Amino acid sequence: MAYNIGLLGLGTVGAGTVDILLNPEGRHPLLGDLNLYRVGVRDLNKPRAVKLPDELLTTDLEAIVSDEAVDIVVELIGGLEPARSLILQAIAHGKHVVTANKAVISRYGDEIYDAANAAGVYVMLEAAVGGGIPVINPLKQALGVNRIQSVIGIINGTTNYILSRMQQEGSDFGEVLVDAQSLGYAEADPTADVDGWDAADKIAILAALAFGGRVKREEVHCEGIRSISAADISYAQKLGFRIKLLAIARRDPSPDAIDHLQIRVHPTLVPLSHPLASINGVFNAILVEGDPIGPVMFYGQGAGAGPTASAVTSDIINIAAILKTETEPIPHPLLSCTHQHYCTLTRVEELESRFYIRLIAKDRPKVIGHLGMIFGEHGVSLESVVQIGFREDLAEIVIVTHETREGNFREALAEVEDLEEIDTVPSVIRVL
Ligand code: NAP
Ligand code: HSE
């Protein structure tokens, strides 16, 4: 049984999604049940990252969402309108919907979910928060039995990239923003990102799921990072903090405030020991605390064609799985174990890795030369060799290799251990 996909948008995420749909090998077998039926764009003549047959493309998006043959509408055009209207029309025509559109869901989620519930269709939005990071479905499913106490995230990659570079380079906001725009990390109009609106959309969605109640997006307190200076970052560093744009949602602890949530987005000094302090660059991370599970952290790429398409396509196969089990009396393909064959595991000698080795050697000429020669003869290239200390007439040497086949490395190491000038080899550790 094939399920027809009506895709709205063939930009960054749309193209990434098509790439997964058209290349199902080695991925979940349910992808084989999906058929890319029609793709809606604004401009038929635009050069595309993916080449599709002309007959698949159309500028008539309303025709896609009302086409009887379409089973699942995937909305990847972004913005408020016509995205909102197209989603509502798709629902009215009995289509399931997958969207990455946090702006629409955070503002019109109530209208959209009321319509979907009435029509008996699903609206899935894994890609709307955290790009490729699976956090929506875990909140709905695996974490669903917990009483969630807080959701705290770095959920905007652009601002985290800018703050990380300000931290590393001691630069001011303005100069890093200009550079981030020229490198394509920040949009030409960066307002939604740097003023915190994008993060506010996302935390409103996460809070609604975590705390089981609708959230009015316009009530979310929101401050951006434009006022953060190099001096702030430097002082914060001296005091043991990193400055991060955090999106925070908590249940209000006061006993007379049942069902009250604290939701806000603002720059925050995060203690260096906190797990979110070390999230750098365009990466996102979301820390969820629940009872009884305790802290759980989700980390990964919060944007980009591939990661976001991964989340979009996971929603598509979730819907396909539901459609399939409704029509065929088979176990739910995503919840049951369907594997029956054994995989072949690679022998450890064949694995490729870098290695850290700490050696104690006699402190005399040619020792490092001998080591380099032996490793080189076995095809093991050395990335760094450092003599880091002395013990009487012995020297402590640390070597890090480049990536190498483990079998070659072990043969070389056996020869090294036999060298007369090597006293001991206290540590050999693989390096990621
Ligand atoms: P994009 O690159 O700008 O692509 C938008 C696509 O939609 C284009 O193909 C465009 O057609 C089409 N489109 C836009 N308005 C249209 C209209 N009125 N009629 C017909 N077609 C229209 O956007 P994107 O970056 O892929 O983002 C898509 C969605 O994913 C947004 O909701 C965004 O917030 C969300 N998202 C994006 C990322 C990311 O990394 N980019 C990450 C997470 C979530 P043309 O190509 O003909 O112009
Ligand atoms: N503009 C967003 C960000 C893209 O910088 O994180 C993903 O929603």
Short mmCIF file of all heavy atoms in Angstrom, two decimals, residues 199-258:
data_model
loop_
_atom_site.label_atom_id
_atom_site.label_comp_id
_atom_site.label_asym_id
_atom_site.label_seq_id
_atom_site.Cartn_x
_atom_site.Cartn_y
_atom_site.Cartn_z
N ALA A 199 12.81 31.58 19.47
CA ALA A 199 12.89 30.74 20.67
C ALA A 199 11.58 30.79 21.45
O ALA A 199 11.16 29.79 22.06
CB ALA A 199 14.06 31.20 21.54
N ALA A 200 10.92 31.95 21.44
CA ALA A 200 9.64 32.07 22.16
C ALA A 200 8.57 31.20 21.51
O ALA A 200 7.78 30.54 22.20
CB ALA A 200 9.21 33.54 22.20
N ASP A 201 8.54 31.18 20.16
CA ASP A 201 7.60 30.27 19.47
C ASP A 201 7.83 28.83 19.94
O ASP A 201 6.89 28.08 20.24
CB ASP A 201 7.84 30.30 17.94
CG ASP A 201 7.43 31.61 17.28
OD1 ASP A 201 6.74 32.41 17.93
OD2 ASP A 201 7.80 31.80 16.10
N LYS A 202 9.11 28.48 19.99
CA LYS A 202 9.45 27.07 20.27
C LYS A 202 9.16 26.69 21.73
O LYS A 202 8.64 25.60 21.99
CB LYS A 202 10.92 26.82 19.94
CG LYS A 202 11.21 26.92 18.43
CD LYS A 202 12.72 26.95 18.17
CE LYS A 202 13.04 26.99 16.68
NZ LYS A 202 14.46 27.25 16.43
N ILE A 203 9.49 27.59 22.67
CA ILE A 203 9.24 27.22 24.08
C ILE A 203 7.74 27.19 24.36
O ILE A 203 7.27 26.40 25.20
CB ILE A 203 10.00 28.14 25.07
CG1 ILE A 203 10.03 27.51 26.48
CG2 ILE A 203 9.40 29.53 25.14
CD1 ILE A 203 10.86 26.30 26.64
N ALA A 204 6.96 28.00 23.62
CA ALA A 204 5.50 27.94 23.80
C ALA A 204 4.99 26.55 23.40
O ALA A 204 4.13 25.97 24.09
CB ALA A 204 4.83 29.02 22.96
N ILE A 205 5.54 26.02 22.33
CA ILE A 205 5.12 24.68 21.87
C ILE A 205 5.56 23.61 22.87
O ILE A 205 4.78 22.74 23.28
CB ILE A 205 5.72 24.38 20.47
CG1 ILE A 205 5.09 25.31 19.42
CG2 ILE A 205 5.52 22.92 20.09
CD1 ILE A 205 5.76 25.26 18.04
N LEU A 206 6.83 23.70 23.32
CA LEU A 206 7.34 22.68 24.26
C LEU A 206 6.56 22.73 25.58
O LEU A 206 6.23 21.68 26.15
CB LEU A 206 8.83 22.91 24.55
CG LEU A 206 9.80 22.64 23.39
CD1 LEU A 206 11.23 22.95 23.82
CD2 LEU A 206 9.70 21.19 22.91
N ALA A 207 6.26 23.94 26.05
CA ALA A 207 5.56 24.06 27.33
C ALA A 207 4.16 23.47 27.25
O ALA A 207 3.70 22.79 28.18
CB ALA A 207 5.50 25.53 27.74
N ALA A 208 3.49 23.70 26.13
CA ALA A 208 2.12 23.16 25.98
C ALA A 208 2.16 21.64 26.07
O ALA A 208 1.30 21.02 26.72
CB ALA A 208 1.54 23.62 24.65
N LEU A 209 3.18 21.03 25.44
CA LEU A 209 3.27 19.57 25.47
C LEU A 209 3.70 19.08 26.85
O LEU A 209 3.17 18.10 27.37
CB LEU A 209 4.31 19.10 24.44
CG LEU A 209 3.88 19.24 22.99
CD1 LEU A 209 5.07 19.07 22.07
CD2 LEU A 209 2.80 18.21 22.67
N ALA A 210 4.70 19.77 27.44
CA ALA A 210 5.26 19.30 28.71
C ALA A 210 4.25 19.42 29.85
O ALA A 210 4.18 18.55 30.72
CB ALA A 210 6.52 20.11 29.05
N PHE A 211 3.48 20.51 29.82
CA PHE A 211 2.60 20.76 30.97
C PHE A 211 1.13 20.50 30.65
O PHE A 211 0.26 20.73 31.49
CB PHE A 211 2.80 22.20 31.46
CG PHE A 211 4.22 22.45 31.89
CD1 PHE A 211 5.07 23.25 31.14
CD2 PHE A 211 4.73 21.84 33.03
CE1 PHE A 211 6.39 23.46 31.53
CE2 PHE A 211 6.04 22.04 33.43
CZ PHE A 211 6.87 22.85 32.68
N GLY A 212 0.87 20.03 29.42
CA GLY A 212 -0.48 19.58 29.09
C GLY A 212 -1.52 20.68 29.09
O GLY A 212 -2.64 20.48 29.55
N GLY A 213 -1.17 21.88 28.62
CA GLY A 213 -2.15 22.96 28.54
C GLY A 213 -1.74 23.92 27.43
O GLY A 213 -0.56 24.03 27.12
N ARG A 214 -2.69 24.57 26.83
CA ARG A 214 -2.37 25.50 25.75
C ARG A 214 -1.66 26.74 26.30
O ARG A 214 -1.92 27.15 27.44
CB ARG A 214 -3.63 25.88 24.98
CG ARG A 214 -4.14 24.69 24.19
CD ARG A 214 -5.40 24.98 23.45
NE ARG A 214 -5.75 23.82 22.62
CZ ARG A 214 -6.81 23.73 21.87
NH1 ARG A 214 -7.67 24.73 21.81
NH2 ARG A 214 -7.04 22.65 21.16
N VAL A 215 -0.82 27.35 25.50
CA VAL A 215 -0.06 28.53 25.91
C VAL A 215 -0.32 29.63 24.90
O VAL A 215 -0.26 29.40 23.69
CB VAL A 215 1.46 28.19 25.93
CG1 VAL A 215 2.30 29.44 26.14
CG2 VAL A 215 1.75 27.14 27.01
N LYS A 216 -0.58 30.82 25.38
CA LYS A 216 -0.76 31.97 24.46
C LYS A 216 0.62 32.54 24.15
O LYS A 216 1.28 33.09 25.05
CB LYS A 216 -1.65 33.04 25.09
CG LYS A 216 -3.08 32.59 25.18
CD LYS A 216 -3.99 33.77 25.50
CE LYS A 216 -5.43 33.29 25.53
NZ LYS A 216 -6.15 33.68 26.74
N ARG A 217 1.01 32.43 22.91
CA ARG A 217 2.36 32.84 22.50
C ARG A 217 2.66 34.29 22.86
O ARG A 217 3.77 34.62 23.28
CB ARG A 217 2.50 32.60 20.99
CG ARG A 217 3.62 33.30 20.28
CD ARG A 217 5.01 32.86 20.74
NE ARG A 217 6.04 33.61 20.04
CZ ARG A 217 6.46 34.83 20.37
NH1 ARG A 217 5.96 35.46 21.41
NH2 ARG A 217 7.41 35.41 19.67
N GLU A 218 1.68 35.16 22.73
CA GLU A 218 1.94 36.59 22.97
C GLU A 218 2.18 36.88 24.45
O GLU A 218 2.68 37.96 24.80
CB GLU A 218 0.79 37.45 22.41
CG GLU A 218 -0.57 37.28 23.06
CD GLU A 218 -1.39 36.11 22.48
OE1 GLU A 218 -0.81 35.27 21.76
OE2 GLU A 218 -2.60 36.04 22.78
N GLU A 219 1.91 35.91 25.33
CA GLU A 219 2.16 36.12 26.75
C GLU A 219 3.55 35.66 27.19
O GLU A 219 3.93 35.83 28.36
CB GLU A 219 1.08 35.41 27.57
CG GLU A 219 -0.29 36.04 27.39
CD GLU A 219 -1.39 35.32 28.15
OE1 GLU A 219 -1.10 34.33 28.84
OE2 GLU A 219 -2.55 35.76 28.02
N VAL A 220 4.30 35.07 26.26
CA VAL A 220 5.64 34.58 26.61
C VAL A 220 6.61 35.77 26.67
O VAL A 220 6.78 36.49 25.69
CB VAL A 220 6.14 33.54 25.57
CG1 VAL A 220 7.57 33.13 25.86
CG2 VAL A 220 5.21 32.33 25.55
N HIS A 221 7.25 35.97 27.82
CA HIS A 221 8.20 37.07 27.98
C HIS A 221 9.45 36.79 27.14
O HIS A 221 9.99 35.68 27.18
CB HIS A 221 8.60 37.22 29.45
CG HIS A 221 9.62 38.29 29.65
ND1 HIS A 221 9.29 39.62 29.71
CD2 HIS A 221 10.97 38.23 29.74
CE1 HIS A 221 10.38 40.34 29.85
NE2 HIS A 221 11.43 39.52 29.87
N CYS A 222 9.89 37.81 26.41
CA CYS A 222 10.93 37.55 25.43
C CYS A 222 11.92 38.71 25.33
O CYS A 222 11.52 39.84 25.07
CB CYS A 222 10.22 37.31 24.10
SG CYS A 222 11.29 37.06 22.74
N GLU A 223 13.21 38.42 25.56
CA GLU A 223 14.28 39.41 25.36
C GLU A 223 15.35 38.75 24.50
O GLU A 223 15.65 37.58 24.68
CB GLU A 223 14.93 39.78 26.70
CG GLU A 223 14.04 40.52 27.66
CD GLU A 223 14.67 40.58 29.05
OE1 GLU A 223 15.91 40.62 29.16
OE2 GLU A 223 13.90 40.56 30.02
N GLY A 224 15.93 39.54 23.60
CA GLY A 224 16.96 38.99 22.70
C GLY A 224 18.36 39.28 23.18
O GLY A 224 18.58 39.62 24.34
N ILE A 225 19.32 39.15 22.24
CA ILE A 225 20.73 39.24 22.65
C ILE A 225 21.44 40.50 22.13
O ILE A 225 22.65 40.62 22.27
CB ILE A 225 21.53 37.99 22.20
CG1 ILE A 225 21.58 37.89 20.66
CG2 ILE A 225 20.95 36.73 22.82
CD1 ILE A 225 22.66 36.94 20.17
N ARG A 226 20.68 41.44 21.51
CA ARG A 226 21.33 42.60 20.90
C ARG A 226 22.16 43.41 21.90
O ARG A 226 23.14 44.04 21.53
CB ARG A 226 20.29 43.54 20.28
CG ARG A 226 19.70 43.02 18.98
CD ARG A 226 18.74 44.06 18.40
NE ARG A 226 17.78 43.47 17.49
CZ ARG A 226 17.95 43.40 16.17
NH1 ARG A 226 19.04 43.88 15.61
NH2 ARG A 226 17.02 42.87 15.41
N SER A 227 21.74 43.41 23.18
CA SER A 227 22.43 44.28 24.14
C SER A 227 23.62 43.60 24.81
O SER A 227 24.31 44.21 25.64
CB SER A 227 21.43 44.71 25.22
OG SER A 227 20.97 43.55 25.88
N ILE A 228 23.87 42.36 24.46
CA ILE A 228 25.00 41.67 25.11
C ILE A 228 26.32 42.17 24.50
O ILE A 228 26.48 42.19 23.29
CB ILE A 228 24.90 40.13 24.91
CG1 ILE A 228 23.57 39.60 25.44
CG2 ILE A 228 26.08 39.42 25.56
CD1 ILE A 228 23.39 39.74 26.92
N SER A 229 27.27 42.55 25.36
CA SER A 229 28.55 43.09 24.85
C SER A 229 29.69 42.12 25.17
O SER A 229 29.55 41.22 26.00
CB SER A 229 28.84 44.43 25.52
OG SER A 229 29.12 44.20 26.89
N ALA A 230 30.83 42.41 24.52
CA ALA A 230 32.03 41.59 24.79
C ALA A 230 32.42 41.69 26.26
O ALA A 230 32.87 40.72 26.87
CB ALA A 230 33.17 42.08 23.90
N ALA A 231 32.22 42.87 26.85
CA ALA A 231 32.59 43.06 28.26
C ALA A 231 31.73 42.15 29.16
O ALA A 231 32.25 41.53 30.10
CB ALA A 231 32.40 44.51 28.65
N ASP A 232 30.42 42.05 28.85
CA ASP A 232 29.55 41.16 29.66
C ASP A 232 30.09 39.73 29.63
O ASP A 232 30.15 39.04 30.65
CB ASP A 232 28.12 41.10 29.06
CG ASP A 232 27.42 42.44 29.06
OD1 ASP A 232 27.59 43.18 30.03
OD2 ASP A 232 26.69 42.73 28.08
N ILE A 233 30.44 39.33 28.42
CA ILE A 233 30.88 37.94 28.25
C ILE A 233 32.18 37.71 29.01
O ILE A 233 32.36 36.67 29.67
CB ILE A 233 31.02 37.63 26.74
CG1 ILE A 233 29.62 37.68 26.13
CG2 ILE A 233 31.74 36.31 26.51
CD1 ILE A 233 29.43 36.99 24.84
N SER A 234 33.06 38.69 28.97
CA SER A 234 34.35 38.56 29.64
C SER A 234 34.16 38.50 31.18
O SER A 234 34.74 37.65 31.85
CB SER A 234 35.22 39.73 29.22
OG SER A 234 36.32 39.83 30.05
N TYR A 235 33.34 39.38 31.70
CA TYR A 235 33.10 39.35 33.16
C TYR A 235 32.43 38.04 33.57
O TYR A 235 32.78 37.44 34.58
CB TYR A 235 32.24 40.54 33.59
CG TYR A 235 32.98 41.85 33.62
CD1 TYR A 235 32.49 42.97 32.97
CD2 TYR A 235 34.18 41.97 34.32
CE1 TYR A 235 33.18 44.19 33.00
CE2 TYR A 235 34.88 43.18 34.36
CZ TYR A 235 34.38 44.28 33.68
OH TYR A 235 35.06 45.48 33.71
N ALA A 236 31.44 37.64 32.78
CA ALA A 236 30.74 36.39 33.10
C ALA A 236 31.74 35.24 33.16
O ALA A 236 31.70 34.42 34.07
CB ALA A 236 29.66 36.12 32.05
N GLN A 237 32.66 35.24 32.22
CA GLN A 237 33.67 34.19 32.16
C GLN A 237 34.52 34.20 33.43
O GLN A 237 34.76 33.16 34.04
CB GLN A 237 34.53 34.43 30.91
CG GLN A 237 35.85 33.71 30.88
CD GLN A 237 35.70 32.29 30.38
OE1 GLN A 237 34.64 31.90 29.89
NE2 GLN A 237 36.75 31.51 30.54
N LYS A 238 34.94 35.40 33.84
CA LYS A 238 35.79 35.51 35.05
C LYS A 238 35.04 35.02 36.29
O LYS A 238 35.64 34.51 37.22
CB LYS A 238 36.25 36.95 35.24
CG LYS A 238 37.29 37.35 34.21
CD LYS A 238 37.87 38.73 34.51
CE LYS A 238 38.82 39.13 33.40
NZ LYS A 238 38.40 40.28 32.64
N LEU A 239 33.74 35.20 36.25
CA LEU A 239 32.94 34.77 37.41
C LEU A 239 32.52 33.30 37.32
O LEU A 239 31.83 32.80 38.20
CB LEU A 239 31.68 35.65 37.50
CG LEU A 239 31.93 37.12 37.82
CD1 LEU A 239 30.67 37.94 37.58
CD2 LEU A 239 32.42 37.27 39.26
N GLY A 240 32.88 32.64 36.23
CA GLY A 240 32.56 31.22 36.11
C GLY A 240 31.25 30.95 35.41
O GLY A 240 30.58 29.95 35.71
N PHE A 241 30.88 31.81 34.45
CA PHE A 241 29.62 31.63 33.73
C PHE A 241 29.83 31.76 32.22
O PHE A 241 30.77 32.40 31.76
CB PHE A 241 28.60 32.69 34.15
CG PHE A 241 28.20 32.61 35.59
CD1 PHE A 241 28.83 33.40 36.54
CD2 PHE A 241 27.20 31.74 36.00
CE1 PHE A 241 28.48 33.33 37.88
CE2 PHE A 241 26.85 31.66 37.33
CZ PHE A 241 27.48 32.45 38.28
N ARG A 242 28.88 31.22 31.47
CA ARG A 242 28.73 31.50 30.04
C ARG A 242 27.39 32.21 29.86
O ARG A 242 26.42 31.88 30.56
CB ARG A 242 28.63 30.20 29.25
CG ARG A 242 29.89 29.44 29.12
CD ARG A 242 30.63 29.79 27.84
NE ARG A 242 31.73 28.87 27.63
CZ ARG A 242 32.91 28.95 28.24
NH1 ARG A 242 33.15 29.91 29.11
NH2 ARG A 242 33.84 28.06 28.00
N ILE A 243 27.33 33.14 28.90
CA ILE A 243 26.04 33.79 28.61
C ILE A 243 25.36 33.03 27.49
O ILE A 243 25.95 32.83 26.42
CB ILE A 243 26.23 35.27 28.24
CG1 ILE A 243 26.85 36.02 29.43
CG2 ILE A 243 24.89 35.90 27.84
CD1 ILE A 243 27.03 37.51 29.21
N LYS A 244 24.14 32.58 27.75
CA LYS A 244 23.36 31.81 26.76
C LYS A 244 21.96 32.41 26.66
O LYS A 244 21.42 32.89 27.67
CB LYS A 244 23.25 30.34 27.21
CG LYS A 244 24.57 29.61 27.27
CD LYS A 244 25.08 29.33 25.88
CE LYS A 244 26.41 28.64 25.85
NZ LYS A 244 27.00 28.68 24.48
N LEU A 245 21.37 32.33 25.46
CA LEU A 245 19.95 32.70 25.33
C LEU A 245 19.14 31.47 25.72
O LEU A 245 19.08 30.49 24.98
CB LEU A 245 19.61 33.12 23.89
CG LEU A 245 18.16 33.58 23.74
CD1 LEU A 245 17.93 34.93 24.41
CD2 LEU A 245 17.76 33.66 22.26
N LEU A 246 18.55 31.52 26.91
CA LEU A 246 17.77 30.37 27.38
C LEU A 246 16.29 30.60 27.18
O LEU A 246 15.78 31.72 27.37
CB LEU A 246 18.04 30.11 28.86
CG LEU A 246 19.43 29.63 29.27
CD1 LEU A 246 19.40 29.16 30.72
CD2 LEU A 246 19.95 28.51 28.37
N ALA A 247 15.60 29.53 26.83
CA ALA A 247 14.14 29.50 26.82
C ALA A 247 13.75 28.60 27.99
O ALA A 247 14.21 27.46 28.07
CB ALA A 247 13.63 28.93 25.51
N ILE A 248 12.96 29.15 28.89
CA ILE A 248 12.70 28.45 30.16
C ILE A 248 11.20 28.31 30.38
O ILE A 248 10.46 29.29 30.25
CB ILE A 248 13.32 29.24 31.34
CG1 ILE A 248 14.83 29.41 31.12
CG2 ILE A 248 13.03 28.56 32.68
CD1 ILE A 248 15.49 30.39 32.10
N ALA A 249 10.77 27.11 30.69
CA ALA A 249 9.36 26.89 31.05
C ALA A 249 9.32 26.07 32.33
O ALA A 249 9.95 25.01 32.40
CB ALA A 249 8.63 26.16 29.92
N ARG A 250 8.63 26.61 33.31
CA ARG A 250 8.54 25.92 34.61
C ARG A 250 7.12 26.00 35.12
O ARG A 250 6.43 26.98 34.85
CB ARG A 250 9.40 26.63 35.66
CG ARG A 250 10.84 26.41 35.56
CD ARG A 250 11.51 26.67 36.94
NE ARG A 250 12.90 26.29 36.85
CZ ARG A 250 13.89 27.13 36.59
NH1 ARG A 250 13.64 28.41 36.44
NH2 ARG A 250 15.13 26.70 36.51
N ARG A 251 6.74 25.00 35.89
CA ARG A 251 5.47 25.11 36.60
C ARG A 251 5.68 26.07 37.77
O ARG A 251 6.70 26.00 38.45
CB ARG A 251 5.06 23.72 37.12
CG ARG A 251 3.61 23.57 37.35
CD ARG A 251 3.30 22.16 37.82
NE ARG A 251 3.08 21.21 36.74
CZ ARG A 251 2.04 21.21 35.92
NH1 ARG A 251 1.11 22.13 36.02
NH2 ARG A 251 1.91 20.29 34.98
N ASP A 252 4.77 27.00 37.97
CA ASP A 252 4.90 27.93 39.10
C ASP A 252 4.82 27.14 40.40
O ASP A 252 3.86 26.39 40.61
CB ASP A 252 3.79 28.98 39.02
CG ASP A 252 4.06 30.13 39.95
OD1 ASP A 252 4.27 29.90 41.17
OD2 ASP A 252 4.06 31.26 39.46
N PRO A 253 5.83 27.31 41.30
CA PRO A 253 5.85 26.46 42.50
C PRO A 253 4.86 26.89 43.58
O PRO A 253 4.59 26.12 44.50
CB PRO A 253 7.29 26.61 43.00
CG PRO A 253 7.78 27.90 42.44
CD PRO A 253 7.00 28.18 41.19
N SER A 254 4.30 28.12 43.49
CA SER A 254 3.45 28.54 44.61
C SER A 254 2.14 27.75 44.64
O SER A 254 1.52 27.53 43.60
CB SER A 254 3.17 30.05 44.55
OG SER A 254 2.66 30.37 43.29
N PRO A 255 1.73 27.32 45.85
CA PRO A 255 0.59 26.40 45.96
C PRO A 255 -0.73 27.01 45.49
O PRO A 255 -1.63 26.28 45.08
CB PRO A 255 0.53 26.06 47.46
CG PRO A 255 1.43 27.04 48.13
CD PRO A 255 2.34 27.62 47.13
N ASP A 256 -0.83 28.35 45.53
CA ASP A 256 -2.09 28.96 45.08
C ASP A 256 -2.06 29.32 43.60
O ASP A 256 -2.85 30.12 43.12
CB ASP A 256 -2.41 30.21 45.92
CG ASP A 256 -1.24 31.18 45.95
OD1 ASP A 256 -0.16 30.77 45.49
OD2 ASP A 256 -1.42 32.32 46.41
N ALA A 257 -1.09 28.73 42.87
CA ALA A 257 -0.99 29.06 41.44
C ALA A 257 -1.04 27.77 40.61
O ALA A 257 -0.23 27.54 39.73
CB ALA A 257 0.30 29.81 41.17
N ILE A 258 -2.00 26.92 40.92
CA ILE A 258 -2.16 25.65 40.20
C ILE A 258 -2.36 25.96 38.71
O ILE A 258 -3.13 26.85 38.35
CB ILE A 258 -3.40 24.87 40.72
CG1 ILE A 258 -3.27 24.61 42.22
CG2 ILE A 258 -3.61 23.56 39.96
CD1 ILE A 258 -2.22 23.64 42.64
#
